[in-house]
Amino acid sequence: MKMKRMGLLSPLAATLCNLLIAYIIYFVARVIYFLENYSFFSQDLSFSHLMEIVKGGLVFDTSAIFVTNIPYIVLMLLPWHGKETKIYHQICRWVFIIINGLALAINLCDSVYFRFTMRRTTTTVFNEFSNENNLGSVFLTESIRHFYLILAFAFLVWCMYKLYRKPRLHSRELCWWKYDLTMLLSLAIFAPFLVAGIRGGFTTAVRPITISNANQYVNRPVEAALVLNTPFSLYRTIGKNVFVVPEYYSNPQEMEAIYSPIHNDFKDLSADTMIKKNVVVLIVESFGREYIGALNKTLENGNYRGYTPCVDSLIAHSVTFKHSFCNGRKSIDGMPSILSSIPMFVEPFFLTPASMNHVSGIASLLAGEGYQTAFFHGAQRGSMGFQAFSRATGFQEYYGREDYDADKRFGGDEDFDGMWAIWDEPFLQYYATKMSEMKEPFMTAIFTASSHHPYAIPDKYKDVYPEEGIIIHKCIRYTDMAIGKFFEKASKEPWFKNTIFVLTSDHTNLSDHAYYQTDISGFCSPIIIYEPGNPNRQPEMQDKIAQQIDILPTVMGMLNYPKSYFGFGIDLFNTPAENTWAVNYLNGTYQYVKHGYVLQFDGQQTKGMYALNDSLMKKNLLGKVPQQKQMERELKAIIQQYMERMVNDKLLP
C-alpha cells in the first residue's frame, strides 16, 4: 500500500509550530488580563519582576496548552497512514482552533471576573451559579461593556486560522510502514516532553504543579492570578481534595493551647442570665468599607465624603472598628463567615464536600433558646445556594422573591430588578414588616442584592443617583438610601429597642483607591454593631481588628449565651485589642493580621510581613519583626484546626 509523502513540514514540525501559536495566544491573553486589571498589578512592578511573572506564566501555560491540546497532538502524530489527506488535516486545523479558541475565551472572560474575586476562576464556579437562570443576561451585559474583548477574541482566532501550518503533501510515494514508523517515533520522542510539560518539570522530584505553585514567582498573592491561566485553574481543580490536613503540630494539646475554635468561657453563666434580645444581621451586597465616608476620614487627605450618608448617620450611633475585614471575596464566602463563623480557606465552604458536615450558626444556637429565626433574600428560592445553607444552619423560615410576590401589600414582581432579585428599597421594607409579625425574641438575617452587577438602579432614581465615580457608586447610594428607610421604619416598631443590629458586607467590590486594591485591603468590609436600647453601649470606633467570623461570637457574648459553641472568630467586646486578629486566604496565601502587622504565609513558609499602616504594602519586613514567629505559630494552629475539623466533621463543640 502506498501513500503521498509529507513535504517541507513534517507532522511533528507542523505540530510544534502550531503549539507555538497557542503559546502566543496565551501570552496575549495574559497581557490583556494584565491591562484589564492594571491597577491591581501595577504597584512596584519592575521590569525584572514582570519577566519573572512571564517566566512563571510560561510554566503554567505549557501545562495548560499540553493538557488541552492532547486530542490535537494525538490526531497529528497518530501512526496511521490513512490520515494523510487534505480533509483529515483540515479537521485537525479546526480541532486546534476550537480548543485554543475556547481557552482564549475563558481567559478573556476571567479577566473581567477577576476584579470581583482577585483570583483565577476554579471549577467551584459551576456549583456557585448552578441555580441561576440569568447568566445569559449577565454575559450579554458584560459583553456589551467589554466589546473590545470580543473584537480581540475575533482577531486572535482569525490570526490562529491564518497562521496555522498544515503538513504539505507531495506526489512522491512513501511506503506506508515507513510513514507509520516515523509517526510512532515522533510520538515517542514528543511524549516525554508532553508529560514533563504537564507536570511542570522533568525530574522525578517534581510533583505535578498546582495553583499554589504560582506563588514562587510573585511578590504579592494577588499576582498569582497573573502567573496562572484560567484553563489550568479549571482542570487542576476538577475532583481535587480541597482540604488537606497539614502536620504543623503533632501534639493536639499544644495546638489547642495556642488556638481553639471551641468557645466555653461562659460556663459560669446560667440560662437565667441570658439576655434574649432580638438579633438582626444585614449582609449588604458588595458594600465595601471603601464606600463609607465615616470609616475613611483620612482618605483623599481628609476630603473624602463617600457615598453612604444614611450609614454614616447609623455609624454615629454604633460601634465600629479601626480595622475590619471580610473572610472571602464572594457572596458564598460571606454567608458561612458571618452566620456560622467559618472563614473561606482554599475554596468556598459550602461548595466543598465539607458542606455536608454538621454545622451550627447564630440561627441554630438561638433557635435552641426559643428564638424564631428567618432568612431573607430577594432572589428566587435556591439562588446562590443560600436557602440550602440557611436551612442547614438553623433558620426555620426562608423568604425570597416568590414570598414577596405573594404578599399583596407589596408591589410583587413589578419590584423585580430584571436580573437578580427584588430591589433593595421595597424588599427591606418587606423585611421590616415581616419581623413585626414574628414572635420575640427572633433572629433574622437579610442578604441584599441591588449593589451587584450589572449595577442598575430603579428608573425612578436614575436622576436622583446619576453616574459618578465608578459604576457601582450609584448603586451604593441607592442601597444606602434603602438602608436608611429600613431603619426609619424599624425605629417605629415595638421590637426596635430590644434588638441588636449588625451590618456588614458579603465582600468588597470595585475600587477606585489604590489603598483598597492591596492584598489585605481588598478584604476591607465594614462591621457595624448598633444596639439602640442599650445606653451602656456607647458609640465609638474601637482600636481593634475585626472580621466577619467575629460576628457570631460577639453576638453570643452580648446575649450572655450560657453554652459552649463553635466558631473560628472571637468575641470582640470581651477580647483585649492586642489579642484581636483577622485571617483570610488569597491565591494560595494565608493572610494573618495581628499586632499591627500583616503576615503572608503560603502553607510552608512566610513570604511577607507588612506593617498594617503601610497602606500600599510597599515595605516587606520579613524576618525583621519580633512578632513574626508567634504569629506564624498562631496561624499554623488556625489552619490545622480548620483542616482537621473540615475533614473529620468536627464543626460542633
Side-chain angles (χ1 to χ4, degrees):
M1 186 175 180
K2 305 290 184 179
M3 62 161 294
K4 297 178 181 179
R5 186 174 13 162
M6 308 305 288
L8 297 177
L9 280 181
S10 68
L12 178 59
T15 301
L16 294 176
C17 286
N18 293 328
L19 290 178
L20 179 60
I21 295 172
Y23 275 99
I24 295 171
I25 293 298
Y26 273 69
F27 176 77
V28 174
R30 179 171 285 104
V31 171
I32 293 173
Y33 195 97
F34 172 73
L35 295 176
E36 183 70 19
N37 302 286
Y38 179 76
S39 61
F40 289 91
F41 300 124
S42 60
Q43 298 175 31
D44 298 325
L45 192 61
S46 64
F47 179 78
S48 61
H49 181 49
L50 188 60
M51 290 300 99
E52 186 177 12
I53 288 175
V54 170
K55 175 185 175 183
L58 187 63
V59 173
F60 290 93
D61 288 355
T62 297
S63 183
I65 289 169
F66 282 8
V67 167
T68 58
N69 282 279
I70 285 176
Y72 170 71
I73 293 169
V74 170
L75 285 173
M76 287 291 287
L77 302 183
L78 185 68
W80 174 53
H81 54 276
K83 67 185 177 68
E84 189 57 18
T85 66
K86 290 183 178 180
I87 294 176
Y88 183 91
H89 285 291
Q90 189 66 17
I91 293 172
C92 290
R93 181 184 210 170
W94 281 109
V95 168
F96 175 83
I97 291 171
I98 290 171
I99 287 174
N100 293 286
L102 181 60
L104 172 63
I106 291 171
N107 276 317
L108 294 182
C109 288
D110 210 19
S111 70
V112 176
Y113 193 44
F114 166 82
R115 68 192 64 186
F116 304 108
T117 64
M118 293 178 69
R119 68 172 191 163
R120 288 281 182 169
T121 295
T122 64
T123 50
T124 57
V125 73
F126 300 111
N127 290 327
E128 181 181 352
F129 295 108
S130 61
N131 294 313
E132 308 305 320
N133 57 13
N134 58 356
L135 297 185
S137 298
V138 173
F139 185 79
L140 178 61
T141 300
E142 285 304 313
S143 296
I144 294 172
R145 285 182 178 157
H146 299 87
F147 67 91
Y148 49 89
L149 294 181
I150 295 177
L151 295 177
F153 170 78
F155 175 72
L156 290 170
V157 169
W158 178 81
C159 288
M160 273 196 289
Y161 181 84
K162 298 299 289 185
L163 294 174
Y164 182 88
R165 302 299 302 274
K166 290 192 297 184
R168 287 184 286 178
L169 308 176
H170 277 294
S171 58
R172 289 188 298 171
E173 296 178 343
L174 180 69
C175 293
W176 67 266
W177 66 267
K178 290 183 179 180
Y179 175 85
D180 288 358
L181 180 61
T182 301
M183 290 298 95
L184 184 61
L185 289 174
S186 297
L187 194 58
I189 291 170
F190 191 71
F193 293 93
L194 183 70
V195 173
I198 292 172
R199 289 175 58 86
F202 274 99
T203 64
T204 56
V206 174
R207 299 178 62 187
I209 55 173
T210 65
I211 290 174
S212 61
N213 290 107
N215 285 300
Q216 71 187 76
Y217 302 99
V218 305
N219 293 332
R220 301 163 52 225
V222 72
E223 293 173 348
L226 200 56
V227 175
L228 294 165
N229 60 76
T230 308
F232 177 89
S233 296
L234 287 171
Y235 82 73
R236 200 64 184 85
T237 54
I238 295 174
K240 296 300 180 182
N241 186 10
V242 176
F243 301 126
V244 178
V245 180
E247 297 180 354
Y248 304 132
Y249 297 96
S250 57
N251 186 339
Q253 287 74 30
E254 180 186 5
M255 180 173 63
E256 292 281 340
I258 297 172
Y259 170 77
S260 172
I262 305 301
H263 296 257
N264 52 15
D265 301 331
F266 311 114
K267 289 183 178 179
D268 57 328
L269 298 175
S270 67
D272 294 336
T273 65
M274 185 171 175
I275 304 169
K276 292 193 174 181
K277 285 195 167 187
N278 308 311
V279 177
V280 173
V281 179
L282 293 93
I283 306 171
V284 187
E285 173 68 49
S286 302
F287 209 72
R289 187 179 176 117
E290 176 178 3
Y291 311 131
I292 303 173
L295 299 181
N296 291 282
K297 293 185 177 179
T298 61
L299 200 62
E300 297 181 1
N301 297 317
N303 297 318
Y304 184 69
R305 294 294 175 265
Y307 304 88
T308 61
C310 295
V311 170
D312 288 351
S313 177
L314 178 69
I315 287 172
H317 302 281
S318 306
V319 177
T320 56
F321 304 91
K322 185 175 181 180
H323 304 284
S324 56
F325 302 94
C326 53
N327 293 103
R329 288 283 305 187
K330 295 183 179 181
S331 297
I332 53 174
D333 300 330
M335 284 274 285
S337 299
I338 296 163
L339 299 176
S340 292
S341 193
I342 298 174
M344 194 288 285
F345 285 173
V346 186
E347 292 291 353
F349 165 68
F350 67 83
L351 296 183
T352 70
S355 63
M356 302 307 294
N357 290 351
H358 297 85
V359 62
S360 61
I362 299 178
S364 61
L365 295 174
L366 296 184
E369 302 302 317
Y371 277 64
Q372 187 176 354
T373 61
F375 185 84
F376 294 75
H377 182 49
Q380 67 182 29
R381 287 174 174 263
S383 176
M384 302 297 292
F386 289 167
Q387 185 178 12
F389 183 78
S390 65
R391 174 173 289 187
T393 54
F395 283 97
Q396 298 154 346
E397 302 292 339
Y398 181 96
Y399 295 97
R401 175 183 167 189
E402 296 90 342
D403 305 284
Y404 179 87
D405 291 348
D407 194 322
K408 302 304 180 184
R409 295 171 295 181
F410 294 87
D413 232 28
E414 290 184 3
D415 293 328
F416 178 56
D417 65 11
M419 184 71 72
W420 292 105
I422 303 299
W423 293 112
D424 284 352
E425 180 187 10
F427 198 71
L428 280 165
Q429 293 295 300
Y430 172 75
Y431 179 44
T433 299
K434 294 297 289 183
M435 282 192 288
S436 296
E437 298 170 356
M438 295 175 70
K439 180 182 177 182
E440 295 188 63
F442 56 75
M443 184 273 148
T444 68
I446 185 171
F447 204 121
T448 70
S450 294
S451 43
H452 192 289
H453 178 280
Y455 309 115
I457 59 176
D459 289 340
K460 66 179 181 179
Y461 287 110
K462 288 185 176 179
D463 291 332
V464 179
Y465 306 117
E467 298 284 349
E468 58 178 326
I470 53 179
I471 194 170
I472 195 174
H473 287 160
K474 66 179 183 297
C475 302
I476 295 297
R477 286 201 183 275
Y478 167 75
T479 294
D480 174 72
M481 174 274 297
I483 293 171
K485 287 190 174 182
F486 164 78
F487 278 102
E488 181 182 354
K489 178 177 176 62
S491 66
K492 300 173 183 176
E493 301 300 323
W495 49 264
F496 178 72
K497 289 193 174 181
N498 189 43
T499 302
I500 297 170
F501 295 90
V502 180
L503 188 150
T504 187
S505 68
D506 56 338
H507 54 74
T508 60
N509 206 298
L510 305 179
S511 168
D512 61 348
H513 292 93
Y515 170 76
Y516 283 103
Q517 296 173 0
T518 66
D519 293 335
I520 192 62
S521 294
F523 289 85
C524 283
S525 281
I527 295 178
I528 302 165
I529 299 175
Y530 176 45
E531 194 177 5
N534 185 358
N536 296 321
R537 188 74 64 195
Q538 295 298 314
E540 62 175 328
M541 177 179 284
Q542 295 190 359
D543 189 9
K544 293 183 177 181
I545 297 166
Q547 56 186 325
Q548 289 172 333
I549 60 173
D550 295 337
I551 291 173
L552 185 153
T554 302
V555 168
M556 293 298 108
M558 295 172 72
L559 298 175
N560 281 346
Y561 183 73
K563 301 176 183 177
S564 296
Y565 63 91
F566 178 91
F568 282 100
I570 60 173
D571 178 353
L572 291 167
F573 291 148
N574 288 290
T575 303
E578 62 271 18
N579 292 332
T580 58
W581 53 273
V583 66
N584 52 58
Y585 180 92
L586 177 64
N587 289 328
T589 297
Y590 296 91
Q591 299 190 114
Y592 185 51
V593 184
K594 195 173 184 182
H595 304 307
Y597 294 97
V598 181
L599 181 143
Q600 295 180 330
F601 178 72
D602 68 0
Q604 300 297 323
Q605 61 182 331
T606 297
K607 309 291 286 188
M609 191 79 176
Y610 299 88
L612 197 50
N613 61 10
D614 179 3
S615 61
L616 297 181
M617 301 184 76
K618 288 182 174 292
K619 188 175 182 180
N620 192 341
L621 302 174
L622 184 64
K624 300 177 182 179
V625 176
Q627 293 93 334
Q628 179 177 322
K629 292 296 183 183
Q630 180 60 25
M631 289 176 68
E632 288 173 349
R633 292 179 68 241
E634 293 169 359
L635 178 57
K636 287 179 178 179
I638 293 169
I639 296 170
Q640 188 165 332
Q641 284 274 18
Y642 185 96
M643 297 301 174
E644 284 187 358
R645 290 178 179 277
M646 288 294 172
V647 170
N648 298 312
D649 190 6
K650 293 184 177 180
L651 301 181
L652 296 175

